[in-house]
Amino acid sequence: NPSRNDLFELAYSLFKTKNYDEAAKYFEKITSENDSLHQNTNYLLAKCYLEKGQKNKALNAFLLASKFDFYPD
């Protein structure tokens, strides 16, 4: 099984190439632990949802990302 970091790298590559549907699928798989990767993943997942027009899901993902202080800015 690929590590969470491997999944993040794959998802981020898909995100950067504007393949938001596939990126979201991988980001959703790695939001299980409360760490900086979780915060960053939720932020990028929210951006995927925005690109897909899923505003409620984006709001929820942004809220989850904001609950952590790993990256307070």
Side-chain angles (χ1 to χ4, degrees):
N1 289 337
S3 71
R4 290 173 70 234
N5 286 329
D6 291 339
L7 289 173
F8 180 84
E9 291 297 325
L10 175 58
Y12 187 70
S13 295
L14 291 165
F15 174 82
K16 291 300 281 183
T17 59
K18 300 182 181 184
N19 190 342
Y20 302 115
D21 288 327
E22 286 299 309
K25 287 179 189 176
Y26 286 101
F27 283 138
E28 288 168 351
K29 291 180 180 185
I30 55 176
T31 59
S32 59
E33 296 182 29
N34 295 335
D35 57 10
S36 61
L37 183 61
H38 177 94
Q39 182 180 22
N40 201 23
T41 297
N42 273 299
Y43 175 78
L44 292 169
L45 182 57
K47 291 183 82 169
C48 286
Y49 290 147
L50 280 179
E51 291 292 337
K52 294 169 38 161
Q54 297 175 316
K55 293 179 183 177
N56 286 334
K57 282 186 166 187
L59 177 61
N60 288 333
F62 277 131
L63 287 172
L64 282 172
S66 73
K67 290 183 179 184
F68 301 96
D69 61 1
F70 297 106
Y71 301 108
D73 297 335

